[in-house]
Amino acid sequence: MIALALGQGKVALWNFQAAQREGLLSGFDHAIGWVAYTPDGQLACAERSSTVNEPCGVYLCRDGQRLRLG
């Protein structure tokens, strides 16, 4: 499974073996700047913003659930 950071606050989950989208995470406040998998399989997502004073979140995602870390 590959996670692709998209604009408009979305992350696509792409099954590269089947060549099809397996899921879409949405509802983030900002565009996603980076994604990475942790060693235990959780997806980490970080928002980005072009505004200096606007806070962005960092999330752990698993099974369609998002946990905002900060």
Side-chain angles (χ1 to χ4, degrees):
M1 192 72 61
I2 297 173
L4 304 166
L6 306 174
Q8 302 171 352
K10 296 179 183 175
V11 175
L13 301 175
W14 183 259
N15 182 328
F16 64 94
Q17 291 179 329
Q20 66 184 17
R21 190 176 79 184
E22 293 286 328
L24 182 68
L25 302 173
S26 61
F28 296 96
D29 294 329
H30 301 282
I32 301 301
W34 65 262
V35 293
Y37 282 100
T38 64
D40 66 349
Q42 293 186 80
L43 177 62
C45 302
E47 295 176 323
R48 64 178 174 82
S49 175
S50 59
T51 305
V52 175
N53 295 324
E54 192 166 351
C56 294
V58 176
Y59 299 84
L60 284 180
C61 305
R62 183 177 227 161
D63 300 326
Q65 302 291 322
R66 285 189 321 225
L67 172 64
R68 185 178 173 124
L69 299 177

